[in-house]
Amino acid sequence: KYGKLLMDVVKEENESRMVIMKRVIIMNEGLNEQDLLKIQKVFAAMNKDAAKQGELVQKEDGSWARK
């Protein structure tokens, strides 16, 4: 019952993150679309750093682990 709702929320969150990351490219003259992967890695590192001890964080390979 909640599976589809959960997947929809995750999809919307990911789309919102992408909008923000693309906006970073637009607002910075020194960046372009080829820098998107670097920006994604920076955002991921920031989220991992901000996570509290014991929270799930996504690793580079896509798997999840507790911080």
Side-chain angles (χ1 to χ4, degrees):
K1 177 179 179 179
Y2 293 107
K4 181 175 178 351
L5 176 61
L6 175 63
M7 294 307 293
D8 288 345
V9 170
V10 169
K11 181 177 181 263
E12 288 176 14
E13 284 286 326
N14 288 335
E15 289 170 352
S16 295
R17 285 187 188 101
M18 187 59 70
V19 167
I20 293 167
M21 287 184 271
K22 287 185 176 184
R23 186 73 178 148
V24 168
I25 292 171
I26 291 168
M27 295 180 69
N28 290 276
E29 290 180 15
L31 299 175
N32 59 48
E33 285 291 325
Q34 286 74 35
D35 295 310
L36 183 58
L37 184 59
K38 292 179 200 171
I39 293 167
Q40 288 172 317
K41 287 182 179 188
V42 169
F43 271 71
M46 289 170 53
N47 286 334
K48 185 177 179 182
D49 290 345
K52 294 177 182 158
Q53 196 69 23
E55 288 184 332
L56 289 173
V57 293
Q58 193 169 19
K59 299 179 350 183
E60 276 197 51
D61 66 3
S63 65
W64 293 86
R66 297 224 179 258
K67 179 176 179 183

Tab-separated table of all heavy atoms in Angstrom:
chain	number	residue	atom	x	y	z
A	1	LYS	N	0.829	-1.206	0.000
A	1	LYS	CA	0.000	0.000	0.000
A	1	LYS	C	0.865	1.258	0.000
A	1	LYS	O	0.621	2.176	-0.753
A	1	LYS	CB	-0.929	-0.041	1.206
A	1	LYS	CG	-1.788	1.180	1.345
A	1	LYS	CD	-2.701	1.069	2.540
A	1	LYS	CE	-3.523	2.320	2.667
A	1	LYS	NZ	-4.425	2.284	3.773
A	2	TYR	N	1.858	1.299	0.867
A	2	TYR	CA	2.698	2.493	0.971
A	2	TYR	C	3.913	2.440	0.045
A	2	TYR	O	4.623	3.418	-0.086
A	2	TYR	CB	3.154	2.706	2.415
A	2	TYR	CG	2.012	3.043	3.340
A	2	TYR	CD1	1.544	2.109	4.259
A	2	TYR	CD2	1.393	4.276	3.279
A	2	TYR	CE1	0.484	2.403	5.108
A	2	TYR	CE2	0.331	4.582	4.113
A	2	TYR	CZ	-0.120	3.639	5.026
A	2	TYR	OH	-1.153	3.939	5.842
A	3	GLY	N	4.145	1.289	-0.576
A	3	GLY	CA	5.308	1.132	-1.437
A	3	GLY	C	5.355	2.147	-2.564
A	3	GLY	O	6.389	2.766	-2.812
A	4	LYS	N	4.231	2.331	-3.264
A	4	LYS	CA	4.196	3.287	-4.376
A	4	LYS	C	4.369	4.711	-3.866
A	4	LYS	O	5.099	5.500	-4.463
A	4	LYS	CB	2.907	3.164	-5.172
A	4	LYS	CG	2.875	4.138	-6.348
A	4	LYS	CD	1.675	3.943	-7.212
A	4	LYS	CE	1.553	4.898	-8.361
A	4	LYS	NZ	2.428	6.023	-8.450
A	5	LEU	N	3.732	5.031	-2.764
A	5	LEU	CA	3.872	6.366	-2.185
A	5	LEU	C	5.325	6.634	-1.824
A	5	LEU	O	5.869	7.696	-2.137
A	5	LEU	CB	2.991	6.506	-0.945
A	5	LEU	CG	3.111	7.826	-0.176
A	5	LEU	CD1	2.713	9.007	-1.055
A	5	LEU	CD2	2.278	7.790	1.077
A	6	LEU	N	5.969	5.662	-1.206
A	6	LEU	CA	7.374	5.814	-0.839
A	6	LEU	C	8.233	6.034	-2.081
A	6	LEU	O	9.082	6.934	-2.111
A	6	LEU	CB	7.866	4.588	-0.069
A	6	LEU	CG	9.353	4.571	0.271
A	6	LEU	CD1	9.707	5.728	1.190
A	6	LEU	CD2	9.736	3.243	0.885
A	7	MET	N	8.014	5.244	-3.104
A	7	MET	CA	8.797	5.377	-4.337
A	7	MET	C	8.553	6.743	-4.991
A	7	MET	O	9.480	7.350	-5.522
A	7	MET	CB	8.466	4.245	-5.310
A	7	MET	CG	8.900	2.881	-4.802
A	7	MET	SD	10.636	2.775	-4.305
A	7	MET	CE	11.443	2.980	-5.866
A	8	ASP	N	7.324	7.228	-4.934
A	8	ASP	CA	7.009	8.550	-5.494
A	8	ASP	C	7.740	9.653	-4.731
A	8	ASP	O	8.279	10.584	-5.331
A	8	ASP	CB	5.499	8.811	-5.468
A	8	ASP	CG	4.734	7.980	-6.489
A	8	ASP	OD1	5.364	7.405	-7.408
A	8	ASP	OD2	3.499	7.897	-6.367
A	9	VAL	N	7.763	9.547	-3.410
A	9	VAL	CA	8.444	10.548	-2.589
A	9	VAL	C	9.945	10.538	-2.874
A	9	VAL	O	10.568	11.593	-3.043
A	9	VAL	CB	8.165	10.322	-1.082
A	9	VAL	CG1	9.062	11.195	-0.218
A	9	VAL	CG2	6.696	10.594	-0.776
A	10	VAL	N	10.526	9.354	-2.957
A	10	VAL	CA	11.968	9.237	-3.244
A	10	VAL	C	12.270	9.843	-4.615
A	10	VAL	O	13.244	10.585	-4.777
A	10	VAL	CB	12.420	7.761	-3.174
A	10	VAL	CG1	13.826	7.591	-3.724
A	10	VAL	CG2	12.345	7.252	-1.741
A	11	LYS	N	11.433	9.554	-5.598
A	11	LYS	CA	11.622	10.093	-6.951
A	11	LYS	C	11.575	11.622	-6.931
A	11	LYS	O	12.418	12.292	-7.537
A	11	LYS	CB	10.556	9.535	-7.884
A	11	LYS	CG	10.683	10.002	-9.317
A	11	LYS	CD	9.609	9.335	-10.197
A	11	LYS	CE	9.750	9.774	-11.619
A	11	LYS	NZ	8.852	10.858	-11.978
A	12	GLU	N	10.594	12.183	-6.224
A	12	GLU	CA	10.471	13.635	-6.141
A	12	GLU	C	11.677	14.255	-5.432
A	12	GLU	O	12.172	15.304	-5.850
A	12	GLU	CB	9.184	14.016	-5.417
A	12	GLU	CG	7.938	13.750	-6.239
A	12	GLU	CD	6.659	14.037	-5.480
A	12	GLU	OE1	6.704	14.693	-4.413
A	12	GLU	OE2	5.604	13.596	-5.958
A	13	GLU	N	12.140	13.616	-4.374
A	13	GLU	CA	13.316	14.116	-3.653
A	13	GLU	C	14.548	14.121	-4.561
A	13	GLU	O	15.301	15.089	-4.589
A	13	GLU	CB	13.599	13.255	-2.417
A	13	GLU	CG	12.665	13.501	-1.273
A	13	GLU	CD	12.925	14.805	-0.568
A	13	GLU	OE1	14.103	15.232	-0.474
A	13	GLU	OE2	11.965	15.412	-0.099
A	14	ASN	N	14.741	13.048	-5.292
A	14	ASN	CA	15.891	12.959	-6.198
A	14	ASN	C	15.800	14.002	-7.303
A	14	ASN	O	16.811	14.616	-7.671
A	14	ASN	CB	16.008	11.552	-6.779
A	14	ASN	CG	16.490	10.551	-5.751
A	14	ASN	OD1	17.149	10.909	-4.780
A	14	ASN	ND2	16.159	9.301	-5.958
A	15	GLU	N	14.604	14.224	-7.831
A	15	GLU	CA	14.418	15.247	-8.863
A	15	GLU	C	14.717	16.636	-8.306
A	15	GLU	O	15.343	17.464	-8.978
A	15	GLU	CB	13.001	15.187	-9.426
A	15	GLU	CG	12.755	13.961	-10.303
A	15	GLU	CD	11.295	13.761	-10.670
A	15	GLU	OE1	10.407	14.483	-10.133
A	15	GLU	OE2	11.028	12.868	-11.500
A	16	SER	N	14.289	16.893	-7.080
A	16	SER	CA	14.549	18.185	-6.449
A	16	SER	C	16.044	18.405	-6.234
A	16	SER	O	16.560	19.507	-6.466
A	16	SER	CB	13.813	18.289	-5.110
A	16	SER	OG	12.423	18.275	-5.314
A	17	ARG	N	16.739	17.366	-5.808
A	17	ARG	CA	18.194	17.473	-5.628
A	17	ARG	C	18.875	17.785	-6.955
A	17	ARG	O	19.809	18.587	-7.013
A	17	ARG	CB	18.760	16.177	-5.052
A	17	ARG	CG	18.463	15.994	-3.593
A	17	ARG	CD	19.203	14.782	-3.039
A	17	ARG	NE	18.766	14.522	-1.691
A	17	ARG	CZ	17.887	13.583	-1.347
A	17	ARG	NH1	17.384	12.786	-2.264
A	17	ARG	NH2	17.531	13.428	-0.104
A	18	MET	N	18.411	17.155	-8.027
A	18	MET	CA	19.009	17.383	-9.340
A	18	MET	C	18.802	18.830	-9.779
A	18	MET	O	19.692	19.445	-10.350
A	18	MET	CB	18.430	16.406	-10.366
A	18	MET	CG	19.132	16.469	-11.706
A	18	MET	SD	20.907	16.110	-11.655
A	18	MET	CE	20.876	14.368	-11.283
A	19	VAL	N	17.625	19.380	-9.515
A	19	VAL	CA	17.356	20.782	-9.855
A	19	VAL	C	18.350	21.690	-9.131
A	19	VAL	O	18.928	22.601	-9.735
A	19	VAL	CB	15.898	21.175	-9.494
A	19	VAL	CG1	15.693	22.680	-9.538
A	19	VAL	CG2	14.913	20.467	-10.427
A	20	ILE	N	18.572	21.423	-7.856
A	20	ILE	CA	19.513	22.238	-7.081
A	20	ILE	C	20.924	22.117	-7.639
A	20	ILE	O	21.628	23.116	-7.815
A	20	ILE	CB	19.471	21.842	-5.593
A	20	ILE	CG1	18.115	22.219	-4.993
A	20	ILE	CG2	20.614	22.494	-4.822
A	20	ILE	CD1	17.841	21.621	-3.641
A	21	MET	N	21.351	20.901	-7.946
A	21	MET	CA	22.714	20.713	-8.457
A	21	MET	C	22.889	21.370	-9.821
A	21	MET	O	23.931	21.975	-10.093
A	21	MET	CB	23.048	19.220	-8.515
A	21	MET	CG	23.267	18.630	-7.132
A	21	MET	SD	23.765	16.911	-7.149
A	21	MET	CE	22.172	16.103	-7.119
A	22	LYS	N	21.880	21.297	-10.666
A	22	LYS	CA	21.973	21.955	-11.974
A	22	LYS	C	21.968	23.475	-11.817
A	22	LYS	O	22.607	24.187	-12.577
A	22	LYS	CB	20.858	21.479	-12.891
A	22	LYS	CG	21.095	20.063	-13.372
A	22	LYS	CD	20.058	19.618	-14.367
A	22	LYS	CE	20.400	18.229	-14.900
A	22	LYS	NZ	19.463	17.787	-15.933
A	23	ARG	N	21.271	23.945	-10.813
A	23	ARG	CA	21.259	25.385	-10.537
A	23	ARG	C	22.651	25.852	-10.103
A	23	ARG	O	23.074	26.953	-10.447
A	23	ARG	CB	20.226	25.697	-9.459
A	23	ARG	CG	20.027	27.147	-9.212
A	23	ARG	CD	19.271	27.794	-10.343
A	23	ARG	NE	19.085	29.193	-10.009
A	23	ARG	CZ	19.046	30.156	-10.888
A	23	ARG	NH1	19.111	29.884	-12.165
A	23	ARG	NH2	18.895	31.399	-10.518
A	24	VAL	N	23.365	25.031	-9.365
A	24	VAL	CA	24.744	25.351	-8.974
A	24	VAL	C	25.590	25.563	-10.227
A	24	VAL	O	26.383	26.506	-10.308
A	24	VAL	CB	25.340	24.247	-8.075
A	24	VAL	CG1	26.840	24.414	-7.904
A	24	VAL	CG2	24.643	24.226	-6.716
A	25	ILE	N	25.409	24.699	-11.223
A	25	ILE	CA	26.153	24.835	-12.481
A	25	ILE	C	25.806	26.145	-13.175
A	25	ILE	O	26.691	26.877	-13.630
A	25	ILE	CB	25.858	23.637	-13.417
A	25	ILE	CG1	26.467	22.364	-12.824
A	25	ILE	CG2	26.397	23.892	-14.825
A	25	ILE	CD1	26.051	21.089	-13.535
A	26	ILE	N	24.525	26.454	-13.245
A	26	ILE	CA	24.079	27.676	-13.920
A	26	ILE	C	24.641	28.921	-13.242
A	26	ILE	O	25.040	29.876	-13.908
A	26	ILE	CB	22.531	27.734	-13.961
A	26	ILE	CG1	22.001	26.657	-14.908
A	26	ILE	CG2	22.032	29.125	-14.362
A	26	ILE	CD1	20.508	26.429	-14.814
A	27	MET	N	24.713	28.905	-11.922
A	27	MET	CA	25.109	30.093	-11.173
A	27	MET	C	26.623	30.277	-11.067
A	27	MET	O	27.077	31.302	-10.576
A	27	MET	CB	24.483	30.047	-9.778
A	27	MET	CG	22.963	30.137	-9.820
A	27	MET	SD	22.216	30.079	-8.187
A	27	MET	CE	22.751	31.647	-7.523
A	28	ASN	N	27.391	29.297	-11.501
A	28	ASN	CA	28.843	29.378	-11.405
A	28	ASN	C	29.469	29.305	-12.782
A	28	ASN	O	29.425	28.253	-13.435
A	28	ASN	CB	29.371	28.248	-10.515
A	28	ASN	CG	29.013	28.463	-9.064
A	28	ASN	OD1	29.712	29.171	-8.361
A	28	ASN	ND2	27.914	27.874	-8.625
A	29	GLU	N	30.067	30.400	-13.210
A	29	GLU	CA	30.652	30.493	-14.548
A	29	GLU	C	31.691	29.414	-14.828
A	29	GLU	O	31.834	28.973	-15.958
A	29	GLU	CB	31.278	31.871	-14.764
A	29	GLU	CG	30.289	32.987	-14.874
A	29	GLU	CD	30.956	34.332	-15.088
A	29	GLU	OE1	32.158	34.370	-15.424
A	29	GLU	OE2	30.270	35.343	-14.907
A	30	GLY	N	32.402	28.987	-13.835
A	30	GLY	CA	33.467	28.020	-14.027
A	30	GLY	C	32.992	26.576	-14.138
A	30	GLY	O	33.795	25.678	-14.324
A	31	LEU	N	31.687	26.355	-14.009
A	31	LEU	CA	31.143	25.001	-14.066
A	31	LEU	C	30.305	24.797	-15.316
A	31	LEU	O	29.723	25.749	-15.841
A	31	LEU	CB	30.277	24.721	-12.835
A	31	LEU	CG	30.964	24.803	-11.472
A	31	LEU	CD1	29.951	24.624	-10.365
A	31	LEU	CD2	32.075	23.776	-11.361
A	32	ASN	N	30.232	23.540	-15.762
A	32	ASN	CA	29.355	23.196	-16.881
A	32	ASN	C	28.777	21.804	-16.637
A	32	ASN	O	29.069	21.174	-15.623
A	32	ASN	CB	30.096	23.292	-18.224
A	32	ASN	CG	31.292	22.376	-18.287
A	32	ASN	OD1	31.199	21.190	-17.942
A	32	ASN	ND2	32.430	22.897	-18.718
A	33	GLU	N	27.964	21.324	-17.559
A	33	GLU	CA	27.288	20.031	-17.396
A	33	GLU	C	28.267	18.888	-17.125
A	33	GLU	O	27.911	17.917	-16.469
A	33	GLU	CB	26.438	19.717	-18.626
A	33	GLU	CG	25.149	20.518	-18.712
A	33	GLU	CD	24.127	20.128	-17.650
A	33	GLU	OE1	24.037	18.934	-17.293
A	33	GLU	OE2	23.416	21.024	-17.173
A	34	GLN	N	29.486	18.992	-17.643
A	34	GLN	CA	30.468	17.938	-17.418
A	34	GLN	C	30.906	17.875	-15.949
A	34	GLN	O	31.496	16.884	-15.521
A	34	GLN	CB	31.704	18.123	-18.317
A	34	GLN	CG	31.462	17.782	-19.774
A	34	GLN	CD	30.628	18.830	-20.510
A	34	GLN	OE1	30.747	20.017	-20.242
A	34	GLN	NE2	29.789	18.381	-21.425
A	35	ASP	N	30.611	18.904	-15.187
A	35	ASP	CA	30.966	18.943	-13.773
A	35	ASP	C	29.890	18.341	-12.876
A	35	ASP	O	30.068	18.276	-11.653
A	35	ASP	CB	31.231	20.387	-13.331
A	35	ASP	CG	32.449	20.974	-14.018
A	35	ASP	OD1	33.505	20.318	-13.998
A	35	ASP	OD2	32.333	22.084	-14.577
A	36	LEU	N	28.781	17.882	-13.463
A	36	LEU	CA	27.659	17.383	-12.663
A	36	LEU	C	28.071	16.240	-11.744
A	36	LEU	O	27.698	16.228	-10.563
A	36	LEU	CB	26.496	16.954	-13.562
A	36	LEU	CG	25.240	16.472	-12.842
A	36	LEU	CD1	24.700	17.548	-11.896
A	36	LEU	CD2	24.176	16.059	-13.843
A	37	LEU	N	28.846	15.301	-12.224
A	37	LEU	CA	29.272	14.176	-11.377
A	37	LEU	C	30.082	14.659	-10.182
A	37	LEU	O	29.881	14.190	-9.052
A	37	LEU	CB	30.077	13.161	-12.192
A	37	LEU	CG	30.504	11.903	-11.442
A	37	LEU	CD1	29.291	11.151	-10.899
A	37	LEU	CD2	31.308	10.994	-12.355
A	38	LYS	N	30.967	15.634	-10.395
A	38	LYS	CA	31.746	16.192	-9.280
A	38	LYS	C	30.818	16.844	-8.261
A	38	LYS	O	31.005	16.689	-7.051
A	38	LYS	CB	32.734	17.231	-9.795
A	38	LYS	CG	33.853	16.682	-10.631
A	38	LYS	CD	34.740	17.825	-11.108
A	38	LYS	CE	35.556	17.419	-12.303
A	38	LYS	NZ	36.258	18.536	-12.914
A	39	ILE	N	29.832	17.579	-8.768
A	39	ILE	CA	28.886	18.261	-7.883
A	39	ILE	C	28.079	17.239	-7.095
A	39	ILE	O	27.850	17.396	-5.895
A	39	ILE	CB	27.982	19.209	-8.688
A	39	ILE	CG1	28.826	20.354	-9.258
A	39	ILE	CG2	26.830	19.736	-7.844
A	39	ILE	CD1	28.124	21.178	-10.302
A	40	GLN	N	27.655	16.171	-7.752
A	40	GLN	CA	26.907	15.122	-7.065
A	40	GLN	C	27.754	14.511	-5.938
A	40	GLN	O	27.242	14.249	-4.853
A	40	GLN	CB	26.484	14.031	-8.056
A	40	GLN	CG	25.383	14.487	-8.987
A	40	GLN	CD	25.096	13.480	-10.086
A	40	GLN	OE1	26.015	12.927	-10.682
A	40	GLN	NE2	23.824	13.257	-10.350
A	41	LYS	N	29.032	14.312	-6.193
A	41	LYS	CA	29.914	13.751	-5.168
A	41	LYS	C	30.085	14.711	-3.992
A	41	LYS	O	30.117	14.294	-2.837
A	41	LYS	CB	31.263	13.378	-5.767
A	41	LYS	CG	31.181	12.147	-6.643
A	41	LYS	CD	32.529	11.753	-7.186
A	41	LYS	CE	32.396	10.490	-8.030
A	41	LYS	NZ	33.664	9.931	-8.435
A	42	VAL	N	30.182	16.006	-4.286
A	42	VAL	CA	30.291	17.005	-3.221
A	42	VAL	C	29.018	17.015	-2.379
A	42	VAL	O	29.083	17.011	-1.141
A	42	VAL	CB	30.585	18.411	-3.797
A	42	VAL	CG1	30.425	19.486	-2.735
A	42	VAL	CG2	31.974	18.457	-4.418
A	43	PHE	N	27.855	17.009	-3.029
A	43	PHE	CA	26.587	16.992	-2.301
A	43	PHE	C	26.475	15.726	-1.450
A	43	PHE	O	26.035	15.781	-0.302
A	43	PHE	CB	25.406	17.089	-3.267
A	43	PHE	CG	24.984	18.504	-3.570
A	43	PHE	CD1	25.778	19.333	-4.340
A	43	PHE	CD2	23.788	19.006	-3.094
A	43	PHE	CE1	25.403	20.627	-4.624
A	43	PHE	CE2	23.398	20.294	-3.370
A	43	PHE	CZ	24.202	21.115	-4.136
A	44	ALA	N	26.871	14.589	-2.010
A	44	ALA	CA	26.812	13.326	-1.265
A	44	ALA	C	27.715	13.392	-0.030
A	44	ALA	O	27.319	12.957	1.058
A	44	ALA	CB	27.212	12.164	-2.171
A	45	ALA	N	28.915	13.931	-0.197
A	45	ALA	CA	29.835	14.058	0.936
A	45	ALA	C	29.270	14.986	2.001
A	45	ALA	O	29.389	14.707	3.207
A	45	ALA	CB	31.193	14.560	0.451
A	46	MET	N	28.644	16.072	1.568
A	46	MET	CA	28.043	17.011	2.533
A	46	MET	C	26.914	16.323	3.308
A	46	MET	O	26.802	16.505	4.531
A	46	MET	CB	27.513	18.250	1.801
A	46	MET	CG	28.611	19.142	1.270
A	46	MET	SD	28.030	20.452	0.152
A	46	MET	CE	26.764	21.240	1.102
A	47	ASN	N	26.080	15.566	2.608
A	47	ASN	CA	24.985	14.865	3.281
A	47	ASN	C	25.512	13.806	4.243
A	47	ASN	O	24.983	13.640	5.338
A	47	ASN	CB	24.044	14.225	2.248
A	47	ASN	CG	23.189	15.248	1.553
A	47	ASN	OD1	22.906	16.306	2.090
A	47	ASN	ND2	22.770	14.941	0.338
A	48	LYS	N	26.561	13.114	3.827
A	48	LYS	CA	27.157	12.098	4.692
A	48	LYS	C	27.739	12.743	5.943
A	48	LYS	O	27.554	12.255	7.052
A	48	LYS	CB	28.233	11.333	3.930
A	48	LYS	CG	28.819	10.188	4.698
A	48	LYS	CD	29.828	9.426	3.853
A	48	LYS	CE	30.448	8.289	4.638
A	48	LYS	NZ	31.463	7.574	3.855
A	49	ASP	N	28.436	13.858	5.766
A	49	ASP	CA	29.016	14.568	6.908
A	49	ASP	C	27.942	15.076	7.862
A	49	ASP	O	28.129	15.085	9.079
A	49	ASP	CB	29.880	15.738	6.446
A	49	ASP	CG	31.168	15.292	5.777
A	49	ASP	OD1	31.553	14.108	5.912
A	49	ASP	OD2	31.792	16.127	5.099
A	50	ALA	N	26.799	15.494	7.308
A	50	ALA	CA	25.725	16.052	8.127
A	50	ALA	C	24.897	14.975	8.830
A	50	ALA	O	24.185	15.274	9.797
A	50	ALA	CB	24.802	16.919	7.262
A	51	ALA	N	25.008	13.741	8.367
A	51	ALA	CA	24.242	12.651	8.974
A	51	ALA	C	24.716	12.414	10.405
A	51	ALA	O	25.891	12.559	10.715
A	51	ALA	CB	24.391	11.378	8.149
A	52	LYS	N	23.766	12.054	11.240
A	52	LYS	CA	24.090	11.766	12.632
A	52	LYS	C	24.576	10.316	12.759
A	52	LYS	O	24.263	9.468	11.919
A	52	LYS	CB	22.857	11.980	13.502
A	52	LYS	CG	22.423	13.420	13.536
A	52	LYS	CD	21.172	13.596	14.344
A	52	LYS	CE	20.773	15.068	14.302
A	52	LYS	NZ	19.389	15.273	14.582
A	53	GLN	N	25.302	10.067	13.801
A	53	GLN	CA	25.791	8.718	14.075
A	53	GLN	C	24.611	7.749	14.110
A	53	GLN	O	23.594	8.032	14.736
A	53	GLN	CB	26.530	8.701	15.416
A	53	GLN	CG	27.384	7.493	15.630
A	53	GLN	CD	28.589	7.457	14.705
A	53	GLN	OE1	29.036	8.472	14.199
A	53	GLN	NE2	29.103	6.281	14.479
A	54	GLY	N	24.728	6.648	13.383
A	54	GLY	CA	23.674	5.645	13.360
A	54	GLY	C	22.693	5.790	12.207
A	54	GLY	O	21.933	4.869	11.925
A	55	GLU	N	22.687	6.950	11.538
A	55	GLU	CA	21.796	7.136	10.388
A	55	GLU	C	22.344	6.393	9.185
A	55	GLU	O	23.552	6.175	9.056
A	55	GLU	CB	21.648	8.620	10.043
A	55	GLU	CG	20.831	9.394	11.039
A	55	GLU	CD	20.611	10.848	10.628
A	55	GLU	OE1	21.445	11.421	9.908
A	55	GLU	OE2	19.579	11.394	11.043
A	56	LEU	N	21.444	6.019	8.292
A	56	LEU	CA	21.857	5.368	7.060
A	56	LEU	C	22.407	6.401	6.092
A	56	LEU	O	21.832	7.469	5.915
A	56	LEU	CB	20.683	4.635	6.414
A	56	LEU	CG	20.203	3.381	7.126
A	56	LEU	CD1	18.931	2.852	6.470
A	56	LEU	CD2	21.280	2.318	7.127
A	57	VAL	N	23.540	6.065	5.476
A	57	VAL	CA	24.139	6.904	4.445
A	57	VAL	C	24.416	6.022	3.230
A	57	VAL	O	24.743	4.838	3.366
A	57	VAL	CB	25.430	7.607	4.922
A	57	VAL	CG1	25.128	8.633	5.997
A	57	VAL	CG2	26.447	6.609	5.430
A	58	GLN	N	24.273	6.618	2.065
A	58	GLN	CA	24.489	5.859	0.839
A	58	GLN	C	25.956	5.936	0.436
A	58	GLN	O	26.545	7.002	0.390
A	58	GLN	CB	23.601	6.386	-0.288
A	58	GLN	CG	23.552	5.469	-1.481
A	58	GLN	CD	22.479	5.869	-2.474
A	58	GLN	OE1	21.998	7.002	-2.471
A	58	GLN	NE2	22.099	4.937	-3.325
A	59	LYS	N	26.524	4.782	0.144
A	59	LYS	CA	27.918	4.714	-0.278
A	59	LYS	C	27.999	4.933	-1.787
A	59	LYS	O	26.989	4.936	-2.476
A	59	LYS	CB	28.511	3.358	0.123
A	59	LYS	CG	28.482	3.176	1.637
A	59	LYS	CD	29.003	1.893	2.211
A	59	LYS	CE	29.326	0.743	1.387
A	59	LYS	NZ	29.759	-0.451	2.109
A	60	GLU	N	29.204	5.150	-2.300
A	60	GLU	CA	29.387	5.425	-3.725
A	60	GLU	C	28.857	4.317	-4.617
A	60	GLU	O	28.403	4.566	-5.727
A	60	GLU	CB	30.858	5.698	-4.049
A	60	GLU	CG	31.255	7.128	-3.797
A	60	GLU	CD	32.558	7.485	-4.487
A	60	GLU	OE1	32.677	7.232	-5.698
A	60	GLU	OE2	33.427	8.013	-3.800
A	61	ASP	N	28.891	3.080	-4.130
A	61	ASP	CA	28.422	1.961	-4.950
A	61	ASP	C	26.895	1.805	-4.908
A	61	ASP	O	26.340	0.891	-5.503
A	61	ASP	CB	29.093	0.658	-4.534
A	61	ASP	CG	28.718	0.195	-3.136
A	61	ASP	OD1	27.880	0.844	-2.461
A	61	ASP	OD2	29.263	-0.833	-2.689
A	62	GLY	N	26.216	2.715	-4.173
A	62	GLY	CA	24.758	2.685	-4.103
A	62	GLY	C	24.216	1.928	-2.921
A	62	GLY	O	23.028	2.008	-2.610
A	63	SER	N	25.067	1.183	-2.236
A	63	SER	CA	24.612	0.452	-1.048
A	63	SER	C	24.488	1.420	0.126
A	63	SER	O	24.972	2.537	0.086
A	63	SER	CB	25.575	-0.687	-0.728
A	63	SER	OG	26.841	-0.182	-0.364
A	64	TRP	N	23.828	0.949	1.165
A	64	TRP	CA	23.582	1.773	2.341
A	64	TRP	C	24.300	1.194	3.549
A	64	TRP	O	24.406	-0.019	3.688
A	64	TRP	CB	22.081	1.858	2.624
A	64	TRP	CG	21.348	2.614	1.566
A	64	TRP	CD1	20.863	2.108	0.399
A	64	TRP	CD2	21.033	3.990	1.563
A	64	TRP	NE1	20.255	3.097	-0.334
A	64	TRP	CE2	20.337	4.272	0.353
A	64	TRP	CE3	21.244	5.039	2.449
A	64	TRP	CZ2	19.884	5.533	0.024
A	64	TRP	CZ3	20.782	6.308	2.121
A	64	TRP	CH2	20.104	6.534	0.931
A	65	ALA	N	24.769	2.075	4.425
A	65	ALA	CA	25.449	1.652	5.650
A	65	ALA	C	25.161	2.668	6.742
A	65	ALA	O	24.864	3.824	6.467
A	65	ALA	CB	26.942	1.539	5.422
A	66	ARG	N	25.247	2.224	7.978
A	66	ARG	CA	25.085	3.142	9.107
A	66	ARG	C	26.359	3.939	9.311
A	66	ARG	O	27.458	3.415	9.189
A	66	ARG	CB	24.748	2.378	10.379
A	66	ARG	CG	23.429	1.654	10.265
A	66	ARG	CD	22.597	1.813	11.498
A	66	ARG	NE	21.336	1.122	11.314
A	66	ARG	CZ	20.190	1.736	11.014
A	66	ARG	NH1	20.157	3.040	10.874
A	66	ARG	NH2	19.087	1.050	10.862
A	67	LYS	N	26.178	5.212	9.570
A	67	LYS	CA	27.339	6.087	9.823
A	67	LYS	C	27.895	5.766	11.193
A	67	LYS	O	27.216	5.493	12.122
A	67	LYS	CB	26.926	7.553	9.730
A	67	LYS	CG	28.063	8.494	10.004
A	67	LYS	CD	27.656	9.919	9.807
A	67	LYS	CE	28.835	10.840	10.123
A	67	LYS	NZ	28.474	12.229	10.005
